Amino acid sequence: MCGYRVDESKMASDPASVKGDDGPASSQAPPLSPNTPAKPPELPDELVQAGWSKCWSRRENRPYYFNRFTNQSLWEVPVLGQHDVISDPLGLNAAPAEGDANGRKRRMSEEQSSNKRPKVCLSNQLSAGSIKPGLFCRIYWDLDVQTNAVIKERPPLPLLPPHPEIELQRAQLVTKLRQHYHELCLQREGIDPPRESFNRWLLERKVIDKGLDPLLPSECDPPISPSMFREVMGDIPIRLARIKYKEEARKLLFKYAEAAKKMIDSRNASPESRKVVKWNAEDTMNWLRRDHSASKEDYMERLEHLRLQCGPHVAAVAKDSVEGICSKIYQLSADYSRRLRQTHLGLLQTPPPTPVPGARLVYCYPLRLSVPSPVLPRVELHFENDVACLRFKGEMVKVNRGHFSKLELLYRYSCVDDPRFEKFLSRVWCLLKRYQMMFGSGTHEGTGLQGALPVSVFEVLHRQFGVSFECFASPLNSYFKQFCSAFSDTDGFFGSRGPFLSFTPASGSFEANPPFCEELMDAMVSHFEELLSSSSEPLSFVVFVPDWRDPETPALTRMESSRFLREQLHVPPFEHEYRSGSQHTCKREDMSYRAVHGTAVLFLQNDAGFAKWPPTPDGVAELGSAFKPPKTNSSTSTSGPAPPGPDSTPKAPATPETKEKQEWDETMRKSNEIIYFLKLKT
């Protein structure tokens, strides 16, 4: 039996871009849609839509027919509505299930991307009454929405195609670079690296990096990262945490005074700095010895005074050392990047060609690579319950069944060089490994940087404001099948249009929810301004950024003062949710977490965009309502539903699931608080 079943009846990818509901507003000819020749299907369309595909049995050396929705297999050509379990020679038949228990008509993308057995089945096999409640898994994407984004036709990019061997080496080098960063912080400053500072360093560096490696920075100016420098300096001489109790405040004050005095003694500080720091540290210690009746507020006030007095002097003596850490990490990254590229070029058959710019206006389509992909090594696939496990040379990556099915659909829609899915598993392995390396493999690490909007918000954005495109997403967390993402080489096969900062649409309605990295958000605003100023076609961006006010974020300040700002909405903290960045691996109950900061929603539009997709009061109110957590959201989709009163429904008894959900919310809250606290410190 083959390791992965190939649906040959739907191997041909659909058109790279299709015309949306809204025609282009330009007076030029209508945008073109590049098409690829389709392979004639081997099964009738009714069987294909019902989930049947023709596969090949290595054990029996002959074809058979497999239904991906019910796990049924037949030697004979299947007939809808008829199935005899005796004719299931492979023993893969399972109890089929009906569609939605409420009788709702399911979208095609829901039916195709459903993998759990009780979730989807042939409509004429079982009645809805035979389905057990609570067995359905919600779909977190809608791949049926067509794009309204128009771009100039782009030539294939001269990027090196992904290869498992190279991706494995890259993962090892990134892990080694993380270890170097940890050791340098510990040896030079006596601290652990700030939480997820390495992840934010990768994001901030790629904003200005002109190097050729998709992940490791290699050509940045300046070489010293402001983001990494700022975060490491913020934890010197010790990391300050949020305090809840008086004893914690007392211990933190003592540790800060002791660490500041020790640092100033061991570094090459000026006499004035030594005098100021030593006097303040000793004065604080004497105060702690004699005053045992102080409150938590007294300790915190004293700590703030000590930081103001000693902080500048401590920062001055640590500046050169921290710059050395940042410089060393960048130099190692550049060296690793060069080594990887030389190895990668050795695996290719032909050198990268020179791209030729296009000129025609077309609906946006996934990126294409001009360098042909070599034969890729085999990646093993097996399933553990509802998790797909892909293994290459002992390195395993995991993704849940639903998202694995989503990747398969995106691959069908977007990939044009692999109609037989021979490279699918290798490319999925590279994709998962790349994102794992970018955001870390620790528990819940990187989930905040990959957080996505709730499904209800996307539905309102599409219905009210014509949004059909995400500016910051990935094949794993996207809602639409058209999106921009961080990596062109791995993500283009799954629908990505490339990084947003290099994406130049002429028209369309877009959603932007960037990773909360200040440098990236600032570059995003500059790109918005350039696009809106240069286009006379309808162009609209609905932007979601954290509502940081103390101090204010430069990106938010710039957008609020922009001449393209048409409307603004504030969503209070703790009253809305985000989808977890690890949604492709986490449990369903961990899919969402409560936001501890407010979110600012801004509508940036040129005149034509404002006329075509106006942010009406009703639409904005419905958007605010859709952001609310499910337990406070109305059961209808009307705009501005009133939340139920505190005593309107009795509280459900605590269960292990709700307990686990509460623990996860608390973990994410603490994570966001640390990021917010770092923001306040700077």
Side-chain angles (χ1 to χ4, degrees):
M1 185 71 61
C2 57
Y4 180 73
R5 302 182 179 90
V6 180
D7 185 352
E8 297 184 354
S9 61
K10 295 185 69 180
M11 286 174 181
S13 60
D14 71 343
S17 58
V18 291
K19 184 174 179 181
D21 296 334
D22 302 320
S26 172
S27 59
Q28 304 179 25
L32 302 177
S33 298
N35 293 317
T36 55
K39 184 178 180 180
E42 295 190 3
L43 287 175
D45 188 62
E46 311 84 61
L47 293 177
V48 173
Q49 297 299 327
W52 290 99
S53 58
K54 185 177 181 181
C55 308
W56 184 263
S57 172
R58 293 182 180 176
R59 186 182 67 192
E60 301 293 336
N61 198 27
R62 61 168 170 158
Y64 71 97
Y65 302 91
F66 176 77
N67 190 305
R68 57 184 303 219
F69 297 152
T70 63
N71 275 4
Q72 297 169 358
S73 55
L74 300 171
W75 291 126
E76 304 82 12
V77 178
V79 178
L80 288 182
Q82 300 180 10
H83 173 61
D84 182 6
V85 294
I86 299 178
S87 64
D88 182 10
L90 303 181
L92 296 177
N93 70 302
E98 179 57 47
D100 197 319
N102 297 325
R104 177 177 65 90
K105 183 178 180 181
R106 302 176 66 84
R107 295 191 300 258
M108 183 185 300
S109 62
E110 282 187 87
E111 295 177 355
Q112 292 179 343
S113 59
S114 303
N115 273 321
K116 293 190 176 180
R117 294 176 184 172
K119 183 180 174 183
V120 178
C121 180
L122 305 181
S123 59
N124 55 1
Q125 289 190 4
L126 282 180
S127 62
S130 64
I131 304 303
K132 295 181 180 180
L135 292 178
F136 294 95
C137 176
R138 189 178 182 187
I139 298 296
Y140 295 94
W141 51 84
D142 185 354
L143 306 185
D144 296 334
V145 176
Q146 306 300 338
T147 184
N148 56 22
V150 176
I151 61 172
K152 285 187 177 181
E153 188 175 19
R154 299 177 294 180
L157 298 179
L159 300 176
L160 305 185
H163 194 286
E165 290 280 1
I166 299 300
E167 209 57 47
L168 181 59
Q169 293 183 36
R170 181 178 286 111
Q172 294 169 348
L173 292 175
V174 171
T175 301
K176 188 176 179 180
L177 195 61
R178 288 179 183 270
Q179 293 172 349
H180 276 302
Y181 179 46
H182 185 276
E183 292 170 359
L184 286 172
C185 288
L186 202 59
Q187 293 172 1
R188 297 194 180 189
E189 303 301 333
I191 62 172
D192 289 328
R195 187 176 185 274
E196 296 199 28
S197 62
F198 187 88
N199 301 337
R200 285 185 287 273
W201 174 75
L202 288 175
L203 288 173
E204 180 263 333
R205 292 282 86 184
K206 296 310 290 183
V207 172
I208 60 174
D209 184 36
K210 298 180 180 178
L212 298 176
D213 191 89
L215 182 59
L216 292 168
S218 57
E219 292 185 25
C220 299
D221 186 24
I224 296 177
S225 164
S227 172
M228 180 178 285
F229 178 83
R230 181 175 63 245
E231 293 193 35
V232 175
M233 290 292 289
D235 280 2
I236 293 176
I238 64 170
R239 176 177 300 173
L240 300 179
R242 189 174 293 273
I243 301 301
K244 291 184 178 180
Y245 307 106
K246 182 179 78 171
E247 286 304 316
E248 292 179 349
R250 178 184 176 86
K251 290 180 181 179
L252 188 63
L253 177 59
F254 179 81
K255 288 181 179 179
Y256 188 93
E258 186 180 43
K261 185 174 181 295
K262 182 179 179 180
M263 174 174 283
I264 211 71
D265 286 338
S266 61
R267 304 291 177 93
N268 187 19
S270 65
E272 181 65 21
S273 295
R274 292 179 184 274
K275 178 180 178 181
V276 172
V277 173
K278 283 186 175 182
W279 187 89
N280 280 278
E282 291 173 358
D283 181 64
T284 298
M285 291 180 180
N286 292 332
W287 179 78
L288 286 171
R289 294 188 189 101
R290 66 173 181 265
D291 193 345
H292 300 283
S293 61
S295 64
K296 171 191 168 184
E297 289 72 23
D298 294 333
Y299 289 126
M300 297 305 297
E301 183 179 350
R302 189 85 184 193
L303 176 61
E304 183 62 24
H305 173 76
L306 187 62
R307 287 184 63 245
L308 290 175
Q309 295 297 321
C310 301
H313 301 284
V314 171
V317 298
K319 180 175 180 293
D320 292 342
S321 176
V322 175
E323 287 181 347
I325 294 175
C326 300
S327 178
K328 180 66 174 177
I329 295 300
Y330 172 73
Q331 292 171 4
L332 288 172
S333 175
D335 180 56
Y336 293 164
S337 174
R338 287 190 291 269
R339 287 161 51 184
L340 271 177
R341 184 166 180 83
Q342 292 174 359
T343 306
H344 203 166
L345 288 172
L347 297 176
L348 300 180
Q349 302 171 353
T350 57
T354 303
V356 179
R360 299 182 299 175
L361 286 178
V362 297
Y363 285 118
C364 70
Y365 55 93
L367 285 177
R368 312 285 188 232
L369 302 184
S370 59
V371 183
S373 178
V375 177
L376 299 180
R378 182 170 180 247
V379 170
E380 299 175 359
L381 169 68
H382 71 275
F383 289 89
E384 297 177 358
N385 296 326
D386 289 333
V387 177
C389 305
L390 294 89
R391 184 189 299 273
F392 175 72
K393 288 192 173 181
E395 288 287 327
M396 182 184 293
V397 291
K398 298 182 178 181
V399 61
N400 62 49
R401 280 182 182 263
H403 283 78
F404 182 78
S405 177
K406 175 192 177 185
L407 292 176
E408 181 185 355
L409 284 172
L410 290 173
Y411 196 77
R412 292 182 191 277
Y413 294 151
S414 308
C415 181
V416 296
D417 69 339
D418 185 27
R420 296 186 61 86
F421 273 53
E422 295 170 345
K423 302 173 183 177
F424 172 70
L425 291 181
S426 297
R427 287 170 173 173
V428 170
W429 189 92
C430 292
L431 170 78
L432 295 173
K433 197 66 178 177
R434 177 74 59 81
Y435 279 96
Q436 184 187 79
M437 285 300 100
M438 182 175 188
F439 293 106
S441 55
T443 305
H444 303 319
E445 186 177 3
T447 54
L449 296 176
Q450 300 181 82
L453 300 177
V455 172
S456 56
V457 173
F458 276 114
E459 291 173 344
V460 173
L461 288 173
H462 176 61
R463 181 171 61 253
Q464 293 287 349
F465 311 109
V467 172
S468 64
F469 193 103
E470 297 169 73
C471 297
F472 297 91
S474 75
L476 300 170
N477 70 359
S478 65
Y479 178 79
F480 304 113
K481 68 174 180 283
Q482 46 271 344
F483 55 89
C484 283
S485 64
F487 307 115
S488 302
D489 58 337
T490 55
D491 300 358
F493 300 108
F494 301 91
S496 173
R497 274 61 171 168
F500 175 68
L501 297 182
S502 59
F503 181 69
T504 55
S507 68
S509 183
F510 303 84
E511 173 269 347
N513 176 32
F516 296 165
C517 169
E518 289 192 32
E519 291 78 9
L520 177 59
M521 291 192 292
D522 202 45
M524 171 195 71
V525 176
S526 299
H527 195 49
F528 284 156
E529 295 282 342
E530 181 180 353
L531 293 174
L532 291 168
S533 301
S534 60
S535 177
S536 59
E537 306 300 324
L539 198 56
S540 172
F541 297 96
V542 186
V543 190
F544 297 79
V545 293
D547 198 3
W548 288 333
R549 298 292 178 179
D550 187 18
E552 290 189 344
T553 307
L556 179 57
T557 304
R558 290 178 59 191
M559 285 190 288
E560 289 180 331
S561 60
S562 172
R563 64 188 178 95
F564 298 107
L565 180 65
R566 306 295 181 172
E567 186 58 72
Q568 183 172 353
L569 172 67
H570 170 73
V571 186
F574 300 104
E575 295 185 14
H576 62 294
E577 292 183 338
Y578 283 90
R579 275 190 294 141
S580 171
S582 59
Q583 59 180 275
H584 58 286
T585 56
C586 70
K587 299 178 181 178
R588 182 181 179 184
E589 55 268 22
D590 299 335
M591 194 64 71
S592 302
Y593 64 90
R594 196 68 59 93
V596 299
H597 55 76
T599 295
V601 185
L602 304 100
F603 291 78
L604 301 180
Q605 301 170 320
N606 59 11
D607 293 338
F610 179 64
K612 189 169 186 177
W613 302 293
T616 61
D618 289 344
V620 174
E622 185 177 355
L623 180 62
S625 173
F627 232 140
K628 294 180 181 179
K631 65 179 181 180
T632 59
N633 210 351
S634 174
S635 59
T636 63
S637 59
T638 56
S639 61
D647 299 325
S648 58
T649 56
K651 291 185 178 180
T655 63
E657 290 77 11
T658 58
K659 215 170 181 183
E660 190 176 357
K661 176 75 167 101
Q662 291 171 358
E663 292 175 356
W664 167 247
D665 287 342
E666 178 67 15
T667 301
M668 294 307 304
R669 184 184 65 79
K670 290 180 179 179
S671 172
N672 284 320
E673 282 180 353
I674 293 173
I675 298 174
Y676 185 67
F677 187 69
L678 288 172
K679 178 77 179 175
L680 293 178
K681 287 172 63 178
T682 56

